Amino acid sequence: MTEATTTAPESAGSNAEWRDRYASAVMNTFGTPSRVLVRGSGMRVWDADGAEYLDLLAGIAVNCLGHAHPAVVDAVSTQLATLGHVSNFFTTPAQVRLAEELITLSLPGAEPGASRVFLANSGTEANEGALKIARRHGSSSRPRVLALEQAFHGRTMGALAMTHKAAYREPFEPLPGGIEFVPVGDVSALRDAMGPDVAALIVEPIQGEAGVRPLPDGYLEAARALTRDAGALLIIDEVQTGMGRAGAWMAHHILAPGIVPDVVTLAKGLGGGMPIGAVVATGQAAELLGPGQHGTTFGGNPVSASAALAVIDTLRSEGLLARAASLGERWAAELAKVPGVTAARGLGLLIGVALDPAVGPASGIAEDLARAGFIVNAPRDDTLRLAPPLILSDEDADAFTTELSALLAARLASASEGAATTAGSHD
Ligand SMILES: *Cc1c(COP(=O)(O)O)cnc(C)c1O
């Protein structure tokens, strides 16, 4: 009996109890989350109070195959039981196979044999690797790196220096220097900023944290031409948009199918929930980091690499890229018609639902949706972000559209009632 008490499952406890313990044990970088999740399966997760949710955020574009997908569970368990970690004094078949796959998937138009991969553990770390490549390019003769306004590239110092939001950057200055921001989508501003002293331009094909905003048509092609003419590298941050989310392996394959960037960075969906990131570079950029110039203890470890290989196999065998493209297109068109929604931006299953200010702040809507059993997030005050697992069914997508319609209709009705009452008070 006593034994039973001491081995009581650690998941017992309510949301409120775990929240209190969180607040006194976990650093307050995220605020205290209101929900404590204990289990996930497919499209659904459950909290400590037993409530069920349809997960339309997927851990921010990470769980591309949903929760506890057997292919990922098998790959991780088998690899961990066989060989879990080796350090980069050694390599493993999983690491090599993954690097080969990523070259083919990310840079299909690159010269055969000219691409190389560096495996890391997260998106920010992939972008740190890309920035180090940029620094090595032309070294002191190219001190400038260009990034876009509203860009988000991560929270470690180098990636943070390329992230535009002042509130994220300023508390941590001085940051690595030489980074300049140019307005998004403005080709002539980019032309003015470009020159022989620029090492690289880094762009997200769809700015995720900025509210899911694809770069305008033609911008990536112009960016490619301008960087090439100036001898600068083009780095595409596909951390959020890559690995099928946009309806192709890479979002830039859809937005600008003719271009080949010098560097692509990946993370989020790559490991299907396991932490992994990658820098894929081609040509000269693939050779700028030599022995001793970069490293990581965990990066490329066989467990994460096996998870990524299972993700790639499953995305392929289940046709999930085409599925993301077709469902995403239909769903976005339907969401755009919902009263209270002003637009549905994005590509594939990365959708930014722009809201009419009359419905109130997006964070409040996201909370109402959570109470109704739908997980989404609000990257901005006027936008909800949907980044569901790519296994999303038509029925689940439609259930969300129905719930959002009802919720926004109620808010629009109370807003116009409020307006009528205010108008009435003048009589
Ligand atoms: C999330 C994200 C990052 C940072 O990835 P982390 O794994 O959180 O470090 C970088 N770039 C983009 C575009 C992202 O969406």
Side-chain angles (χ1 to χ4, degrees):
M1 287 294 112
T2 357
E3 211 170 23
T5 322
T6 53
T7 59
E10 264 296 299
S11 60
S14 65
N15 279 335
E17 283 160 17
W18 285 113
R19 257 195 330 255
D20 287 349
R21 287 171 65 177
Y22 178 101
S24 35
V26 181
M27 215 176 272
N28 189 29
T29 54
F30 304 100
T32 303
S34 54
R35 288 172 181 80
V36 181
L37 301 182
V38 295
R39 190 166 72 84
S41 175
M43 285 297 304
R44 288 177 166 72
V45 290
W46 287 267
D47 75 14
D49 294 345
E52 178 180 305
Y53 303 87
L54 180 68
D55 183 3
L56 298 176
L57 190 61
I60 316 186
V62 167
N63 302 306
C64 53
L65 301 179
H67 296 270
H69 193 287
V72 179
V73 173
D74 284 359
V76 167
S77 327
T78 305
Q79 184 62 56
L80 189 56
T82 307
L83 182 65
H85 175 79
V86 297
S87 89
N88 284 301
F89 291 126
F90 305 93
T91 187
T92 58
Q95 180 184 47
V96 176
R97 284 177 53 219
L98 180 60
E100 290 170 351
E101 285 278 21
L102 293 179
I103 287 170
T104 318
L105 301 183
S106 317
L107 297 169
E111 196 188 309
S115 306
R116 298 288 185 275
V117 177
F118 180 86
L119 292 171
N121 309 285
S122 65
T124 201
E125 217 188 317
N127 287 331
E128 292 291 329
L131 180 59
K132 284 180 78 172
I133 290 174
R135 283 284 197 258
R136 292 285 302 138
H137 179 54
S139 38
S140 57
S141 68
R142 292 181 180 270
R144 299 168 62 218
V145 170
L146 304 181
L148 299 187
E149 291 179 358
Q150 319 312 323
F152 182 86
H153 296 296
R155 302 292 204 137
T156 53
M157 298 304 247
L160 184 59
M162 304 189 287
T163 289
H164 185 240
K165 199 173 185 173
Y168 290 172
R169 271 187 298 117
E170 284 172 359
F172 303 98
E173 288 173 348
L175 292 166
I179 290 139
E180 294 166 34
F181 295 96
V182 295
V184 190
D186 183 340
V187 173
S188 69
L190 181 59
R191 187 177 297 115
D192 292 347
M194 194 57 67
D197 56 351
V198 172
L201 165 69
I202 182 166
V203 299
E204 297 158 87
I206 304 171
Q207 292 190 317
E209 301 305 307
V212 189
R213 294 169 185 280
L215 291 175
D217 284 349
Y219 187 80
L220 278 168
E221 287 88 344
R224 176 67 285 183
L226 290 169
T227 46
R228 180 174 290 127
D229 292 350
L233 304 176
L234 176 62
I235 303 167
I236 302 194
D237 177 348
E238 294 264 13
V239 166
Q240 184 161 165
T241 50
M243 300 313 294
R245 173 139 308 273
W249 286 111
M250 302 292 134
H252 78 268
H253 295 173
I254 300 180
L255 291 173
I259 71 161
V260 180
D262 300 286
V263 179
V264 168
T265 56
L266 300 170
K268 293 198 166 98
L270 175 57
M274 288 296 287
I276 182 168
V279 185
V280 189
T282 196
Q284 192 191 4
E287 293 171 3
L288 288 168
L289 296 179
Q293 291 185 326
H294 196 41
T296 161
T297 299
F298 290 115
N301 87 81
V303 177
S304 293
S306 295
L309 286 166
V311 165
I312 292 167
D313 276 356
T314 309
L315 290 175
R316 258 196 208 116
S317 64
E318 296 185 5
L320 291 175
L321 273 53
R323 169 74 186 154
S326 62
L327 172 56
E329 192 173 342
R330 176 182 78 75
W331 198 24
E334 265 150 39
L335 288 164
K337 286 189 247 158
V338 169
V341 170
T342 55
R345 297 183 296 260
L347 214 47
L349 286 174
L350 180 60
I351 301 176
V353 180
L355 301 170
D356 184 331
V359 302
S363 53
I365 313 262
E367 178 51 32
D368 286 359
L369 284 164
R371 290 210 181 100
F374 296 88
I375 295 179
V376 305
N377 95 317
R380 291 166 47 101
D381 238 19
D382 59 358
T383 307
L384 297 173
R385 171 171 43 188
L386 304 173
L390 309 186
I391 57 168
L392 176 67
S393 69
D394 290 320
E395 295 70 32
D396 282 341
D398 293 344
F400 174 77
T401 310
T402 305
E403 182 63 37
L404 183 69
S405 304
L407 219 141
L408 296 186
R411 285 185 167 239
L412 286 172
S414 66
S416 69
E417 224 168 79
T421 316
T422 318
S425 72
H426 292 293
D427 289 347

